[in-house]
Amino acid sequence: LSHLLIDLLTPINPTHRAAVANMDAKGFKKTKFFTSAKTRASFIDVIVRAIVAKGPTGKKLQIVQAEIIKALQKESALADSNLHRKSFGNLKQLFNEEDFSGVFTLDKNVVILEKIETLRNSGELSEEALKAVKEAYDMIP
């Protein structure tokens, strides 16, 4: 019992605290429970729909992360898109940990959609989403 009390009273350094936060009660590394090809596709779809609905900004199709959050909030809390984001914690962590090359590029807090040819080659978007993106790109003078 005394060793438990000592453990509770011993300060934890920030590095150790971060390592412990990524472990379960048995000391195993936490996994991303809600991450799958299906949840990733749903997350990407929400972002693409939000970008297309917003329309072009200059010669780009882009959106700031705050607008992505608003789009995700319109979805059900248990929607695949939100489960995917929640498995990383927040958008910043998700964009730091997951690779979206071929779909988006990130410039600080701005998510910029790739050109249509790159999107088509990535295989990440449905034909319906590709059609909507092409129409949005066609609106750029």
Side-chain angles (χ1 to χ4, degrees), residues 4-5 8 22 33-36 43 58 96 101 107 111 138:
L4 291 175
L5 188 55
L8 289 174
N22 288 325
F33 291 108
F34 302 113
T35 339
S36 68
F43 177 78
N96 284 337
S101 58
D107 183 10
V111 176
D138 287 347

Side-chain angles (χ1 to χ4, degrees), residues 63-82:
I63 195 167
V64 295
Q65 288 185 24
E67 292 172 338
I68 293 172
I69 292 168
K70 289 177 185 175
L72 287 167
Q73 288 172 339
K74 292 178 184 176
E75 302 283 311
S76 160
L78 296 177
D80 285 339
S81 55
N82 275 315

